[in-house]
Amino acid sequence: ERGVGGGPAGEGLFNAPQAVAWGSDGEVYVADSGNARLRRIKDGQVTTVAGTGSFGGKDGPLETGTLQYPMDLSIDSKGGVLIADGGTGLIRRYAPQSGLTSPWSGIEIDMPHGLAAAPDGAVVVAEMYAHRIVLLTRDNEIIRLCGTGEPGIAQDQLHKPAAVLIHSG
């Protein structure tokens, strides 16, 4: 059954969950895409920690911050949750003390679908509709890692990349 109900984990409802990430305190974060929310499962309870349920890209705490199709999650080096927000084309960040923020607000990604936090504070993003993988630096720069921007299977071409991982070594 689809829904947005919280409470005991066995009774929690979601709508099109897209990704999960393990938090530093043993909690599990869920990108609840259909509900435009970031949910947390901790100590057997499901709660909403970000997103009002209205679609949008507004920064702010739980009461005002909005998401629009969160697609992937990654925990950054400070314990914040990075969110590939597919509907806004932004990489968002959730932290309990600040709510939702947009650290790379000047950079729009053409359908961010997958992301992975780098140890130095940067983030690698699968830019699905631009057919490339990019690095967003801490200095708000975008660096193409692979993919020409044209879909295909030739050298350095990608076709709708959807996920990335960073190996710890």
Side-chain angles (χ1 to χ4, degrees), residues 83-128:
I83 305 162
D85 197 357
T88 63
L90 296 170
I91 303 304
R92 314 291 297 286
R93 184 176 189 273
Y94 163 77
Q97 61 274 23
S98 57
L100 285 171
T101 59
S102 301
W104 293 275
S105 60
I107 299 176
E108 264 194 55
I109 302 296
D110 198 359
M111 182 46 133
H113 198 282
L115 80 164
D120 66 353
V123 62
V124 177
V125 181
E127 193 174 12
M128 182 179 259

Side-chain angles (χ1 to χ4, degrees), residues 10-83:
E11 298 171 18
L13 299 175
F14 298 87
N15 184 2
Q18 293 293 313
V20 297
W22 292 98
S24 57
D25 291 333
E27 67 270 40
V28 176
Y29 290 97
V30 180
D32 194 358
S33 189
N35 285 320
R37 290 180 161 99
L38 177 65
R39 313 288 296 285
R40 181 179 65 200
I41 303 170
K42 184 174 181 177
D43 300 326
Q45 296 291 312
V46 176
T47 58
T48 297
V49 295
T52 64
S54 295
F55 290 120
K58 185 176 180 184
D59 290 348
L62 177 61
E63 298 79 20
T64 59
T66 56
L67 293 164
Q68 187 166 321
Y69 300 118
M71 300 303 294
D72 198 12
L73 306 172
S74 185
I75 306 299
D76 69 16
S77 61
K78 296 180 180 176
V81 182
L82 296 177
I83 305 162

